[in-house]
Every structure is written in C-alpha cells, then in structure tokens.
Amino acid sequence: MWINLTSVFVDDQDKALQFYTQVLGFEKKTEIPLGEHRWLTVVSPRYRDGVELVLEPDDHPAVGPFKSALSADGIPFASFAVDDVAAEVDRLKGLGVHFTQDVLQMGPVTTAVLDDTCGNLIQLASSS
C-alpha cells in the first residue's frame, strides 16, 4: 500500500495552479475537465511519478468552516519536504509569499508555514 494522491482544498483552481506551479515549483500532471471544475493535479519535478497533489475545489459546505478553523488556529493543512527550509523561505519571500511562521528549529526538524493564497496554510519541513 502507498499514497498516490492527496488533496488541498482550493477556492480557485486557476489561482491555485498558478501558485503551486509558478511560485512553489510543482508541475501540472493531470487536467481533466469535469463540469465547472477540473481534475487537476500537480507533482514535484523531483518525483514526477510520485504522489500527486489534487487541487480540489472547496465548494462542499463542510470545507469552508474546516479551512477557516485550521487557518485561525495556525494549523497547516499539508506539509511539503524541502532540502533547506531557510533557503526555500528566502526564495519564496522573494516571490512575495507570506509566511505565518518563520523558520523554526525544533530538534532535528526545521519548519516554516506559508499562506498558499487559496485558503490553506502549508508547512515546509526538513530534517537533519
């Protein structure tokens, strides 16, 4: 058993695709029209055959309160691994990304938390 898909709920798939590809650096893998939305996934260019991240529309009535509660409490919805959190934070801040938690060392783990502009907090993490 393995994980092949996971999702983030996004308020606008076009805006999310732009942010996740042009800012974070993922690549679009799948785009299938499905009525007013699309089956839209991105992958890491480092692992093109790895886990796909679905940019899932957040239209379901339960999603809004869930996302709001997580964001209000500063809880990231997802965590992405990076080689060097501080370097990635510097790169992303240069692109205008807002961080709700700056670089934080917690034992062998370093994290930071960014706002994905689509209603989610995303954690960047690396371990030494």
Side-chain angles (χ1 to χ4, degrees), residues 84-104:
D84 182 334
V85 171
E88 195 64 17
V89 167
D90 286 345
R91 181 185 80 80
L92 292 171
K93 281 184 175 178
L95 295 172
V97 174
H98 171 70
F99 280 80
T100 61
Q101 176 206 300
D102 213 341
V103 177
L104 179 63

Side-chain angles (χ1 to χ4, degrees), residues 6-122:
T6 189
S7 301
V8 291
F9 293 109
V10 299
D11 56 8
D12 180 319
Q13 286 187 302
D14 290 325
K15 181 175 68 172
L17 182 61
Q18 187 276 332
F19 184 81
Y20 279 80
T21 58
Q22 296 177 25
V23 177
L24 295 185
F26 290 101
E27 295 178 352
K28 182 171 69 174
K29 180 155 184 176
T30 306
E31 182 171 6
I32 300 171
L34 296 171
E36 69 180 279
H37 300 297
R38 298 166 280 166
W39 179 260
L40 184 59
T41 71
V42 295
V43 294
S44 168
R46 196 165 164 176
Y47 302 103
R48 288 185 173 94
D49 294 323
V51 177
E52 294 180 52
L53 180 65
V54 181
L55 303 178
E56 184 88 39
D58 67 359
D59 292 354
H60 189 280
V63 175
F66 173 70
K67 285 174 62 176
S68 294
L70 289 179
S71 290
D73 288 345
I75 299 172
F77 184 79
S79 181
F80 301 150
V82 296
D83 291 324
D84 182 334
V85 171
E88 195 64 17
V89 167
D90 286 345
R91 181 185 80 80
L92 292 171
K93 281 184 175 178
L95 295 172
V97 174
H98 171 70
F99 280 80
T100 61
Q101 176 206 300
D102 213 341
V103 177
L104 179 63
Q105 181 81 37
M106 297 178 288
V109 178
T110 304
T111 65
V113 177
L114 63 86
D115 178 344
D116 78 350
T117 73
C118 302
N120 303 292
L121 298 179
I122 303 294

